[in-house]
Amino acid sequence: MGKGFFHVPPAVNEPVKSYAPGTPEREEVLQTYHKMYKKQVEVPLYIGSKKVKTKNTQDIFPPHDHQHKVGFFHNADKKHIEKAIDEAVNAREKWAALPWEQRAAIFLKAAELIAGPYRQKMNAATMIGQSKNIFQAEIDSACEIIDFLRFNVEYMTQIFDEQPESTEKEWNRVEYRPLEGFVYAITPFNFTAIAGNLPASAALMGNTVVWKPSDSQVYSAQVIMEVFQEAGVPDGVINMVMGDPVMITDTVLASPDFSGIHFTGSTEVFKGIWSKIGKNINTYKTYPRIVGETGGKDFIVAHPSANSKQVSTALARGAFEFQGQKCSAASRAYIPKSMWAKVRKDLEKDLKSFKMGSPENMDNFITAVIHEGSFNKLKKYIDKAKKDKDAEVIIGGTCDKSKGWFVEPTVILTTNPKYTTMETELFGPVLTVYVYEDKKYEETLKLVDETSIYALTGSIFSTDRYAATKATEMLQNCAGNFYINDKCTGAVVGKQPFGGARASGTNDKAGSKLNLLRWVSPRLIKETFVPPTDYRYPFLGEN
Ligand code: NAD
């Protein structure tokens, strides 16, 4: 029980290190990378206090060097998942009863471990396992995860601080209880920060968790578990399991104690999970919380008044950083005819200057896409665009899988605003451009709104305030994160809470109070100091 109204350290964003030539951080991350690259790791399942090894293992290869094994992980069978659920359910009572400041201290310590002694291990693991260049790793596996951990502690206290009014006769209090049961976290490959945040945010609020990382992120997921353990997350509070995602999910969703899902990944998978939860609804003790952040088909619209160099730079960064494998990556652009020649020339120049290869070489802006499945899918769409009459590959277009899954940054120009790559999320370094007649600005905004099922991020570039305002109004339902004169990627915790609507998710805004509210179930306690002793109200009095 509390013995004071404790104030948490004010959350501050972790500064991004530069890794410029000659800096100590560059030296340190490269040394860590080389050391880790030569070794092989073995990643067990983390179930309760046990590190479980099974006979069913899977090898880990860096996407940029698919013949170089860096380790392997153990896959669970159904019994392991049932055991992980039991451990989470059993750990709940003590964890939920632990005073909030103790849970806060654990996750604040995790943030400082990542900011200090684990920083380069987290970054090197993300560079090796997910093929991020050092800058993309630093903003993800160092800064963003640190920010999530710090800011969530502050948001938790803001939630606890929200209390109803009381009077001298009655005291009204709200307790923010964790959900009754356990939370299931499923995480994607593309952000180490999301992988850490989805289980940690629910656990911070007092829940216990079964966490299933992506097969393509297990290498850095193990470092996250190391950090959580060193920070003092007790056994059973976060259980990490790998294996057949359908078997794991079906087993978890069959448990009466399942009380919420914290998902980030593709739209189709999330919709499938939602319908399974619906089918099982009579199984559960409580209505499960369903939180999912899913796909995007993010846009950049340039108004004729925009600065063309700002537009081409936003496209070069927004569409191609981390090979376009950000849910927020720009993948469709709408450029006015009067500006297109200049934007095209500058974009071509920028893309030609991109170097592509291993993240170990710090000159490389572009590295490999995550796996063979992604490589094949991207190649298929690029090859199709080369043949289709209403599309033309104007920049890039080559794919080479001899050493790693390398897809050259590619720009498709289409005359059909509803062309397949204007609508479908490809999740790779492919940008499709539609050139519109300058006078058809408003018709084009309507097209942007109607073209895709998603509503995650989008940008308007304009120096004309009326035009920017028009876009802000007309596009209000097609992006959960909307940018004016900026690229549509790079949301920062505490500054731009992130999430989208329509088929992009439940928009519960990771990195905000709104998200944490989903992991608690408030209990109102009304205490009356002097209760009445006569049932009669004054209106019953005699005239
Ligand atoms: P994915 O959907 O393939 O996988 C996500 C997770 O779901 C993984 O852990 C995977 O193993 C699991 N999974 C796969 N099939 C499953 C099934 N049938 N049942 C249960 N679980 C299953 O996604 P990904 O390739 O890892 O990540 C890319 C996707 O994630 C893109 O669509 C991207 O837009 C989205 N994403 C969205 C956000 C956001 O905030 N909106 C952030 C990051 C990524």
Side-chain angles (χ1 to χ4, degrees), residues 186-191 194 212-214 245-246 249 263-266 269 273 293-296 327 425 427 456 498 504:
I186 306 185
T187 56
F189 78 83
N190 67 332
F191 276 90
I194 296 176
K212 196 209 88 55
S214 158
V246 175
T249 302
F263 176 89
T264 298
S266 55
V269 170
I273 292 171
E293 295 307 329
T294 58
C327 45
E425 183 187 49
F427 220 58
L456 193 50
F498 191 78
S504 292

Coordinates of all heavy atoms in Angstrom, one line a residue, residues 186-191 194 212-214 245-246 249 263-266 269 273 293-296 327 425 427 456 498 504, ligand 1:
I186 N 1.0 -10.0 -29.6 CA 1.6 -10.5 -30.8 C 2.3 -9.4 -31.5 O 1.6 -8.3 -31.8 CB 0.5 -11.1 -31.8 CG1 -0.4 -12.1 -31.1 CG2 1.1 -11.7 -33.0 CD1 -1.4 -12.8 -32.0
T187 N 3.5 -9.5 -31.9 CA 4.3 -8.4 -32.4 C 4.9 -8.7 -33.8 O 5.1 -9.8 -34.1 CB 5.4 -8.0 -31.4 OG1 6.2 -9.1 -31.1 CG2 4.8 -7.5 -30.1
P188 N 5.1 -7.6 -34.6 CA 5.6 -7.7 -35.9 C 7.1 -7.8 -36.0 O 7.8 -7.6 -35.0 CB 5.1 -6.4 -36.6 CG 5.2 -5.4 -35.5 CD 4.9 -6.2 -34.2
F189 N 7.7 -7.9 -37.2 CA 9.1 -8.0 -37.3 C 9.8 -6.6 -37.3 O 10.9 -6.5 -37.0 CB 9.5 -8.8 -38.6 CG 9.4 -8.0 -39.8 CD1 10.4 -7.1 -40.2 CD2 8.3 -8.0 -40.6 CE1 10.3 -6.3 -41.4 CE2 8.2 -7.2 -41.8 CZ 9.2 -6.4 -42.2
N190 N 9.0 -5.6 -37.7 CA 9.7 -4.4 -38.2 C 10.1 -3.4 -37.2 O 10.9 -2.5 -37.5 CB 8.8 -3.7 -39.3 CG 7.5 -3.1 -38.8 OD1 7.0 -3.6 -37.8 ND2 7.0 -2.1 -39.4
F191 N 9.6 -3.5 -35.9 CA 10.1 -2.6 -34.9 C 10.4 -3.3 -33.6 O 9.5 -3.9 -33.0 CB 9.1 -1.4 -34.6 CG 9.2 -0.3 -35.6 CD1 8.5 -0.3 -36.8 CD2 10.1 0.7 -35.3 CE1 8.7 0.8 -37.7 CE2 10.3 1.8 -36.2 CZ 9.6 1.8 -37.4
I194 N 8.3 -1.8 -30.8 CA 6.9 -2.3 -30.7 C 6.9 -3.7 -30.0 O 6.1 -4.0 -29.2 CB 6.2 -2.4 -32.1 CG1 6.1 -1.0 -32.7 CG2 4.9 -3.1 -32.0 CD1 5.5 -1.0 -34.1
K212 N 4.1 -13.4 -28.1 CA 4.6 -14.1 -29.3 C 5.2 -13.1 -30.2 O 4.5 -12.4 -31.0 CB 3.4 -14.8 -30.0 CG 3.9 -15.9 -30.9 CD 3.1 -16.2 -32.1 CE 3.3 -15.3 -33.3 NZ 4.7 -15.3 -33.8
P213 N 6.6 -13.1 -30.3 CA 7.2 -12.2 -31.3 C 7.2 -12.8 -32.7 O 6.8 -14.0 -32.8 CB 8.7 -12.2 -30.8 CG 8.9 -13.4 -30.0 CD 7.5 -13.9 -29.5
S214 N 7.5 -12.0 -33.7 CA 7.6 -12.5 -35.0 C 8.8 -13.4 -35.2 O 9.9 -13.2 -34.6 CB 7.7 -11.3 -36.0 OG 8.3 -11.7 -37.2
P245 N 2.1 -19.7 -35.5 CA 1.2 -18.7 -35.0 C -0.2 -19.0 -34.8 O -0.9 -18.6 -33.9 CB 1.4 -17.5 -36.0 CG 2.0 -18.1 -37.2 CD 2.7 -19.4 -36.8
V246 N -0.7 -19.9 -35.7 CA -2.1 -20.3 -35.7 C -2.3 -21.2 -34.4 O -3.3 -21.0 -33.7 CB -2.5 -21.0 -37.0 CG1 -4.0 -21.5 -36.9 CG2 -2.4 -20.0 -38.2
T249 N -2.1 -19.0 -31.3 CA -3.2 -18.1 -31.1 C -4.5 -18.9 -30.7 O -5.2 -18.5 -29.8 CB -3.4 -17.3 -32.4 OG1 -2.2 -16.6 -32.6 CG2 -4.5 -16.3 -32.3
F263 N -2.0 -6.4 -30.3 CA -1.5 -6.9 -31.6 C -0.9 -5.7 -32.5 O -1.5 -4.7 -32.5 CB -2.6 -7.5 -32.4 CG -2.3 -8.0 -33.8 CD1 -1.8 -9.3 -34.0 CD2 -2.4 -7.2 -34.9 CE1 -1.4 -9.7 -35.2 CE2 -2.1 -7.6 -36.2 CZ -1.6 -8.9 -36.3
T264 N 0.2 -6.0 -33.1 CA 0.6 -5.2 -34.3 C 1.1 -6.1 -35.4 O 1.9 -7.0 -35.1 CB 1.7 -4.2 -33.9 OG1 1.2 -3.3 -32.9 CG2 2.1 -3.3 -35.1
G265 N 0.6 -5.9 -36.6 CA 0.9 -6.7 -37.7 C 0.0 -6.4 -38.8 O -0.6 -5.3 -38.9
S266 N -0.2 -7.4 -39.7 CA -1.0 -7.1 -40.9 C -2.5 -7.2 -40.6 O -3.0 -7.9 -39.7 CB -0.6 -8.1 -42.0 OG -0.7 -9.4 -41.6
V269 N -4.4 -10.8 -40.7 CA -4.2 -11.6 -39.5 C -5.0 -11.0 -38.4 O -5.7 -11.8 -37.7 CB -2.6 -11.6 -39.1 CG1 -2.4 -12.2 -37.8 CG2 -1.8 -12.3 -40.2
I273 N -8.0 -12.9 -36.2 CA -8.0 -13.1 -34.7 C -9.3 -12.5 -34.2 O -9.9 -13.1 -33.3 CB -6.7 -12.4 -34.2 CG1 -5.5 -13.1 -34.6 CG2 -6.8 -12.3 -32.6 CD1 -4.2 -12.4 -34.2
E293 N -2.9 -2.6 -34.2 CA -2.4 -1.6 -35.1 C -2.0 -2.4 -36.3 O -1.1 -3.3 -36.2 CB -1.3 -0.8 -34.5 CG -1.8 0.1 -33.3 CD -3.0 1.0 -33.6 OE1 -3.2 1.4 -34.8 OE2 -3.8 1.2 -32.7
T294 N -2.5 -2.1 -37.5 CA -2.3 -3.0 -38.6 C -1.7 -2.2 -39.9 O -1.0 -1.3 -39.7 CB -3.6 -3.7 -38.9 OG1 -4.6 -2.8 -39.2 CG2 -4.0 -4.6 -37.7
G295 N -2.1 -2.6 -41.1 CA -1.4 -2.1 -42.3 C -1.7 -0.7 -42.6 O -2.5 0.0 -42.0
G296 N -1.0 -0.3 -43.7 CA -1.2 1.1 -44.2 C -0.9 1.2 -45.7 O -0.3 0.3 -46.3
C327 N 5.1 0.7 -41.2 CA 3.6 0.7 -41.5 C 3.3 2.1 -42.0 O 2.3 2.3 -42.7 CB 2.9 0.4 -40.2 SG 3.5 1.3 -38.8
E425 N -1.1 -2.8 -49.9 CA 0.1 -2.6 -49.1 C 1.2 -3.6 -49.5 O 0.9 -4.9 -49.4 CB -0.2 -2.8 -47.6 CG 1.1 -2.5 -46.7 CD 0.9 -2.9 -45.2 OE1 0.4 -3.9 -44.9 OE2 1.3 -2.0 -44.4
F427 N 4.6 -3.3 -48.5 CA 5.5 -3.4 -47.4 C 7.0 -3.6 -47.9 O 7.7 -4.5 -47.5 CB 5.1 -4.4 -46.4 CG 5.4 -3.9 -45.0 CD1 4.7 -2.8 -44.5 CD2 6.2 -4.6 -44.1 CE1 4.9 -2.3 -43.2 CE2 6.4 -4.1 -42.8 CZ 5.8 -3.0 -42.4
L456 N -3.8 5.1 -42.1 CA -2.8 5.2 -41.1 C -2.0 6.5 -41.1 O -2.3 7.3 -40.2 CB -1.8 4.0 -41.3 CG -0.8 3.7 -40.2 CD1 -1.5 3.7 -38.8 CD2 0.0 2.5 -40.4
F498 N 0.8 7.4 -32.0 CA 0.7 6.8 -33.3 C -0.5 5.7 -33.4 O -0.6 4.9 -32.6 CB 2.0 6.1 -33.6 CG 2.1 5.6 -35.1 CD1 2.4 6.5 -36.1 CD2 1.8 4.3 -35.4 CE1 2.4 6.1 -37.4 CE2 1.9 3.9 -36.7 CZ 2.2 4.8 -37.7
S504 N -6.6 0.1 -40.8 CA -5.3 0.2 -40.2 C -5.3 0.0 -38.7 O -4.2 0.1 -38.1 CB -4.7 1.6 -40.4 OG -4.5 1.8 -41.8
Ligands
NAD1 P1 2.4 -10.3 -39.9 O1 0.9 -10.0 -39.8 O2 2.9 -11.2 -40.9 O3 2.9 -10.8 -38.5 C1 2.6 -10.1 -37.3 C2 2.6 -11.1 -36.1 O4 1.4 -12.0 -36.3 C3 3.8 -12.1 -36.1 O5 4.2 -12.3 -34.8 C4 3.3 -13.3 -36.8 O6 4.0 -14.5 -36.4 C5 1.8 -13.3 -36.3 N1 0.9 -14.1 -37.2 C6 1.1 -14.3 -38.5 N2 0.0 -15.1 -38.9 C7 -0.8 -15.3 -37.9 C8 -2.0 -15.9 -37.7 N3 -2.6 -16.5 -38.7 N4 -2.6 -15.9 -36.4 C9 -1.9 -15.3 -35.4 N5 -0.8 -14.6 -35.5 C10 -0.2 -14.6 -36.7 O7 3.1 -8.8 -40.0 P2 4.7 -8.5 -40.2 O8 5.1 -8.9 -41.5 O9 5.4 -9.0 -39.0 O10 4.6 -6.9 -40.0 C11 4.2 -6.1 -41.1 C12 2.8 -5.7 -40.9 O11 2.6 -5.0 -39.7 C13 2.4 -4.6 -42.0 O12 1.1 -4.9 -42.4 C14 2.5 -3.3 -41.2 O13 1.7 -2.3 -41.8 C15 2.0 -3.7 -39.9 N6 2.5 -2.8 -38.9 C16 1.6 -1.9 -38.4 C17 2.0 -1.0 -37.4 C18 1.1 0.1 -36.9 O14 1.4 0.7 -35.9 N7 -0.1 0.3 -37.5 C19 3.3 -1.0 -36.9 C20 4.2 -2.0 -37.4 C21 3.8 -2.9 -38.4

